[in-house]
Amino acid sequence: MAIGSGLGAQLGIAPETTYGTYVAPTKFIEFTKESVVLKKTTAQSAGIAAGRLVALSSRRVVTRKEVQGSIDLEVANKGMGLLLQALMGTTVTPVQQGATTAYLQTHTLADTAGKSLTIQKGVPLTTGTVTDKSFLGCKVTSAEFSCEVGGMLTVTFEFDGKDCDEGQTLSVASYSNMSPFHFGQMALKTGTYGTETALDGIRKVSVKIERAMDVERFYANQSALKKEPITNDLVKITGSLETDYVATTLDDLHTSDGATSMVWEFLGPIIASTYNETFRITIPAIKLDEGPPMVDGFGVVKPTFNFTGLFDGTNLTKIEYMSTDTTV
């Protein structure tokens, strides 16, 4: 029996071959919080019947169902590939580095058609019995990464899904020995794409990638369920850089509305040879929207520069992930 509290909970994920068709979880996430739930729309009959003061329960119907919610977790040195692939869209095969145990995943921005997940949630009763809720057709609609002084690299994934199946067998969770990326490994670089250099004074970075989709594809003949969402707008990339005012680099870019490439990376221990555990987001062009320095007291000036990620005409936004994972 499991512990009858959140300590006994589990989350497993698996890539689906067909949107909304259950696949038993193959990877298990160490998460900090989740809110993935079934949402339903109901309609209640308002028919008049002499002497009836309360609507009949038999005349309430479910007219549509869907899944919504989020998962918060620390970005770890293993096991992140499926979530990154569902976010970015490219089908990725990890590339072995030399003859070592290091494998590089390069998740380049692409359409996410066909990239859906089964998310199976195990929720413990106080008795220690863990109940199964398997969410089908889960597509990542956004992800926000963040790291600040003294903290871990964290991410919140937002999901839209098709349905919840409570009739599956709860998979037995297994976990690798994972380590989180953290502020002590963080670097922020800007400049010309491919030759970016370290930027001083950075205290906190956040990057959010939003995948616009038509999530309202409810049709007749679908039993109140939706068809796979379709991309219906440009990808939105935004973020912020919290700084001490040690140089005018970002301030000048804000003034001129100039573009710069940005690399946000975390380098962990060496896996083998010269290959480190790595998490890296590269945005080929960012422009600063607001955040010029202001003096509001005796302390060090600490501007926060908000930015928008854009396309430089040649290079796509990408996430690189180096680990010992031989598959996503």
Side-chain angles (χ1 to χ4, degrees):
M1 299 292 284
I3 298 174
S5 67
L7 288 170
Q10 67 180 64
L11 272 179
I13 61 174
E16 295 176 345
T17 302
T18 303
Y19 174 73
T21 300
Y22 174 81
V23 178
T26 53
K27 292 186 182 293
F28 295 88
I29 304 169
E30 296 186 27
F31 65 103
T32 55
K33 184 173 66 174
E34 64 82 24
S35 63
V36 183
V37 293
L38 174 69
K39 301 281 188 179
K40 62 184 181 182
T41 300
T42 62
Q44 177 68 55
S45 170
I48 296 172
R52 184 184 297 152
L53 300 180
V54 178
L56 282 173
S57 65
S58 61
R59 294 179 68 86
R60 172 168 149 158
V61 293
V62 177
T63 58
R64 65 183 252 180
K65 295 189 291 183
E66 60 193 313
V67 172
Q68 294 177 354
S70 63
I71 299 175
D72 294 3
L73 64 151
E74 297 164 353
V75 178
N77 63 342
K78 297 177 184 177
M80 296 297 300
L82 278 180
L83 291 171
L84 296 177
Q85 180 172 265
L87 168 66
M88 298 299 285
T90 300
T91 300
V92 172
T93 300
V95 178
Q96 185 177 17
Q97 304 299 289
T100 71
T101 56
Y103 288 79
L104 176 63
Q105 301 176 27
T106 302
H107 298 268
T108 305
L109 197 63
D111 187 20
T112 59
K115 298 297 187 298
S116 62
L117 302 172
T118 292
I119 300 177
Q120 187 182 66
K121 178 168 70 172
V123 184
L125 298 171
T126 55
T127 58
T129 299
V130 183
T131 63
D132 159 67
K133 294 182 182 297
S134 295
F135 300 99
L136 313 178
C138 294
K139 294 183 71 72
V140 176
T141 55
S142 75
E144 183 168 14
F145 301 87
S146 181
C147 186
E148 62 185 331
V149 173
M152 305 290 192
L153 171 60
T154 61
V155 61
T156 298
F157 287 96
E158 297 278 350
F159 294 93
D160 174 89
K162 181 177 181 178
D163 197 9
C164 178
D165 181 353
E166 297 184 349
Q168 299 295 334
T169 300
L170 188 68
S171 297
V172 178
S174 61
Y175 302 94
S176 301
N177 185 17
M178 296 183 284
S179 300
F181 291 102
H182 58 84
F183 181 79
Q185 302 166 333
M186 187 173 94
L188 194 285
K189 303 175 184 179
T190 58
T192 302
Y193 185 86
T195 59
E196 300 89 350
T197 57
L199 190 64
D200 196 12
I202 302 298
R203 299 181 55 83
K204 180 180 178 180
V205 179
S206 67
V207 172
K208 186 173 186 179
I209 301 173
E210 298 176 75
R211 308 304 307 252
M213 300 178 195
D214 183 349
V215 297
E216 294 292 323
R217 299 187 67 214
F218 291 93
Y219 306 142
N221 308 309
Q222 298 297 317
S223 302
L225 302 174
K226 70 176 67 176
K227 285 198 169 183
E228 181 177 1
I230 296 173
T231 298
N232 65 349
D233 204 345
L234 298 174
V235 177
K236 184 178 180 181
I237 303 173
T238 56
S240 65
L241 306 172
E242 293 188 16
T243 73
D244 281 359
Y245 194 48
V246 301
T248 64
T249 304
L250 295 176
D251 190 18
D252 292 343
L253 286 168
H254 173 263
T255 301
S256 67
D257 202 39
T260 183
S261 175
M262 189 187 86
V263 175
W264 183 30
E265 72 178 4
F266 295 78
L267 296 180
I270 291 175
I271 298 172
S273 184
T274 59
Y275 304 109
N276 295 71
E277 297 172 352
T278 302
F279 180 86
R280 179 185 299 116
I281 297 177
T282 300
I283 306 174
I286 66 167
K287 291 205 173 190
L288 304 180
D289 300 314
E290 57 182 76
M294 296 177 289
V295 179
D296 61 358
F298 297 114
V300 172
V301 177
K302 297 180 180 294
T304 295
F305 294 91
N306 298 318
F307 65 82
T308 297
L310 300 165
F311 179 43
D312 67 355
T314 303
N315 304 290
L316 295 172
T317 294
K318 62 183 178 180
I319 298 177
E320 294 168 287
Y321 185 58
M322 185 96 71
S323 71
T324 57
D325 293 336
T326 57
T327 63
V328 294

